[in-house]
Amino acid sequence: MPGASIFYDLEPLLEQVSKPIQYVGGELNSTVKDWQCGGYDADGRELTVRWALMYPDAYEVGVPNQGVMILYEVLNERADALAERTYSVWPDMEAAMRAAELSQFTVDAHRPVGDFDVFGLSFSTELGYTNMLTALDLAGIPLHAADRGEDDPIVLAGGHAAFNPEPVADFIDAAVVGDGEEAVLAITDHIAAWKRQGRPGGRRELLLRLARTGGVYVPAFYDVDYLPDGRIQRVAPAADTVGVPWRVSKHTVMDLDAWPYPKQPLVPLAESVHERMSVEIFRGCTRGCRFCQAGMITRPVRERSITGIGEMVKKGLEATGFEEVGLLSLSSADHSEIADIAKGLADRYEGTQTGLSLPSTRVDAFNIDLANELTRGGRRSGLTFAPEGGSERIRKVINKMVSEDDLIKTVAAAYGAGWRQVKLYFMCGLPTETDEDVLQIADLAKRVIDVGREVSSRRDIRCTVSIGGFVPKPHTPFQWCAQLDPEQTDARLAKLREAIRSDKRYGAAIGIRYHDGEPGLVEGLLSRGDRRVGRVIEAVWRDGGRFDGWSEHFSYERWMRCAEAAFDDTGVDVAWYTTRERTEHEVLPWDHLDSGLDKDWLWADWQDALDETEVDDCRWTPCFDCGVCPQMNTDIQVGPTGKKLLPLTVV
């Protein structure tokens, strides 16, 4: 019977696997609705629209994900819809499920994923693609969209990686780019109408209706032609798809105060990567960091009001019992009222166990007054700053307008105010980067320790240098640039490590953490790949690839071996997709997906990068014509509102 729980068959497997609690469900604020909550019409047609939502990673990573949590709540507020969650199962559970012939299941009511109308996956990173194939296979859903029948769910991709879904075009039925809140409700409306009408035209007609809205991308309705040298000639709607647009637009939610989700955040049963309640204080970023896909694709900036934030914090704490609140955005300290937000919340919850936190903070947005308000509850952990580039020259290239003196002044103020540890985040492999640019990270870290010891008169000052490999992303000015190969990346990092460790004056005061270049190259292949990369993903999965975002499961050798075989007759290879620089007029695999950013503007910004020219934040300066506001019919929404948070009586 569709929608029936499989928990009776699942339960015996739980004692055989690690961390069985992650498969049990029943978290505080989770929702289980009746399978037929939408009822029937006069002709006996069932009208419920059912979503299985997946963050394709382990429970501990997926359960705190804000995107899935928001969509889960938005959908379940509808009387005619239900949404349940599913996560990637660990290899031991996968083996046990295959032996017992059990399907991929939801953690809410343990229903088979294949019974739902929509299987929606949120990809924040491309390294989750193999986990999607595992889930499809376990659910009994054909891997290839072309092989699916009338009773199979619509497989829908979202999240940041969906801004170039071409590498998984063979496996998904559709993709949505941009904000999901209004998009999932609109899709639900279309499915509900199609069901009420008796499902005319079957699966294809439903997908056509969605594609014709201009806000849902259906890869099967687009033909891709290639030039003899392997480049794309064009991507165009297929001849038999009248009404399907040439370009698909992203969704942008305006007025975040009208969307105060999640209202009742989930409280995980098992330990997760974020043990806190989080509130998104604004969406979008106009700082213009050229490497940052998130900042580019989420434009324009839309602030949540100070009173809206206060109400969400109040209700979220009451609903969860968490003792920490994360104030989230791409650059939280840039909120126009961040000082009043921090002070107002600190005043409200003074004397309780409630702590406040910001994610990584821009050097030029940090101040001691803000930091003191955030730590008034007594929690004072390390501070994290992200200069991104080691030299001032490379910071001009990436438009990270932070000088070395700015950083030193900021950390001096922090150490002088009582902090003992600072973490600095950098990238290796940025465009035009040289060995000297990277080695300056060592000099900068040493200056940080020196100034910390001087202003604090203490020797227990620490600085941790964390370095990630740069991966060029679609819809950024760096989408044309060549990626540094793993050998060069690792060689530069080895030189940096030696430069830090060879100076005994700093000893254990400077820690260094870095990721080698191999996973970054695979991420680069998946980030800027086209449909031909799909055969690589499938080959890796069939060869045992799982949890590629986890170092203990990732195999570079497997990816390269499978890629070599998959590309054997195509005229392209991994280097063609990764370490090759693109030309201005090359058709990029994602050009038909409209992020609002004008391609000519992106190219001009790429040329500015090569000229080491910086560009200001357009929130406070004249418009630079990136294209987002006029093309998306949106506008920057920033305060200040002039309102204050009133203290609450905290019981």
Side-chain angles (χ1 to χ4, degrees), residues 362-382:
R362 285 186 63 97
V363 171
D364 51 351
F366 175 86
N367 63 74
I368 292 298
D369 290 339
L370 173 61
N372 285 335
E373 294 294 358
L374 293 169
T375 58
R376 201 196 302 176
R379 301 182 184 186
R380 179 169 289 194
S381 55

Side-chain angles (χ1 to χ4, degrees), residues 19 47 113 174 177 206 316 347 369 511 520 543 587 604 609 623 626 633:
K19 298 183 181 179
L47 302 177
V113 166
V177 293
L206 174 59
D347 286 345
D369 290 339
D543 195 61
V587 176
C623 175
C626 75
N633 193 28

Side-chain angles (χ1 to χ4, degrees), residues 55-58 61 88 90 124-131 515 519-520 522-523 526 540 545-555 558-559:
Y55 189 87
D57 208 323
V61 178
S88 296
W90 284 113
S124 59
T125 171
E126 297 84 359
L127 292 174
Y129 288 158
T130 50
N131 283 353
H515 303 286
V522 172
E523 185 181 342
L526 301 178
V540 167
R546 308 287 191 275
F547 289 95
D548 288 292
W550 295 67
S551 58
E552 60 265 43
H553 295 280
F554 175 80
S555 169
R558 174 191 286 134
W559 277 95

Side-chain angles (χ1 to χ4, degrees), residues 366-376 379-385 410-423 451-453 455-456 458 460-462:
F366 175 86
N367 63 74
I368 292 298
D369 290 339
L370 173 61
N372 285 335
E373 294 294 358
L374 293 169
T375 58
R376 201 196 302 176
R379 301 182 184 186
R380 179 169 289 194
S381 55
L383 293 172
T384 300
F385 301 106
T410 298
V411 298
Y415 286 131
W419 271 268
R420 295 288 171 261
Q421 180 162 329
V422 167
K423 181 178 180 180
V451 74
R453 289 171 175 172
V455 300
S456 68
R458 298 176 63 114
D460 60 342
I461 296 299
R462 282 191 54 80

Side-chain angles (χ1 to χ4, degrees), residues 499-539:
I500 290 176
R501 292 180 175 175
S502 62
D503 196 328
K504 303 303 181 184
R505 292 175 299 166
Y506 299 95
I510 301 176
I512 180 168
R513 299 175 182 172
Y514 62 89
H515 303 286
D516 62 49
E518 293 179 346
L521 193 79
V522 172
E523 185 181 342
L525 169 68
L526 301 178
S527 295
R528 293 194 290 173
D530 53 39
R531 295 187 181 188
R532 292 168 290 189
V533 174
R535 65 186 74 180
V536 181
I537 299 169
E538 184 173 349

Side-chain angles (χ1 to χ4, degrees), residues 240-415:
D240 59 346
T241 56
V242 176
V244 172
W246 281 77
R247 300 193 78 199
V248 178
S249 297
K250 80 169 182 180
H251 297 261
T252 304
V253 168
M254 304 302 292
D255 187 9
L256 291 188
D257 280 344
W259 297 88
Y261 296 93
K263 299 173 183 176
Q264 294 191 313
L266 293 163
V267 181
L269 289 176
E271 183 178 359
S272 67
V273 293
H274 296 303
E275 295 290 324
R276 67 188 180 206
M277 190 272 289
S278 298
V279 172
E280 182 186 32
I281 64 174
F282 73 87
R283 193 172 294 181
C285 184
T286 46
R287 285 282 191 166
C289 299
R290 294 175 174 126
F291 59 85
C292 182
Q293 184 191 46
M296 292 289 172
I297 64 177
T298 59
R299 294 183 175 202
V301 168
R302 292 145 285 154
E303 286 188 354
R304 203 182 296 278
S305 71
I306 183 173
T307 48
I309 292 166
E311 187 67 13
M312 286 187 69
V313 171
K314 173 181 176 291
K315 290 183 176 179
L317 289 174
E318 290 173 349
T320 63
F322 279 121
E323 294 184 345
E324 182 180 348
V325 178
L327 304 177
L328 303 186
S329 77
L330 292 175
S331 184
S332 296
D334 281 340
H335 193 289
S336 63
E337 296 182 297
I338 188 62
D340 287 335
I341 292 168
K343 184 180 186 308
L345 291 175
D347 286 345
R348 277 188 174 187
Y349 298 104
E350 188 167 17
T352 72
Q353 296 299 309
T354 303
L356 304 174
S357 66
L358 291 182
S360 173
T361 308
R362 285 186 63 97
V363 171
D364 51 351
F366 175 86
N367 63 74
I368 292 298
D369 290 339
L370 173 61
N372 285 335
E373 294 294 358
L374 293 169
T375 58
R376 201 196 302 176
R379 301 182 184 186
R380 179 169 289 194
S381 55
L383 293 172
T384 300
F385 301 106
E388 310 290 359
S391 68
E392 293 204 19
R393 186 197 72 80
I394 204 70
R395 287 194 291 274
K396 289 180 180 179
V397 170
I398 65 178
N399 205 45
K400 192 80 173 185
M401 292 184 286
V402 175
S403 71
E404 185 168 327
D405 286 342
D406 290 335
L407 178 63
I408 295 303
K409 289 176 183 177
T410 298
V411 298
Y415 286 131

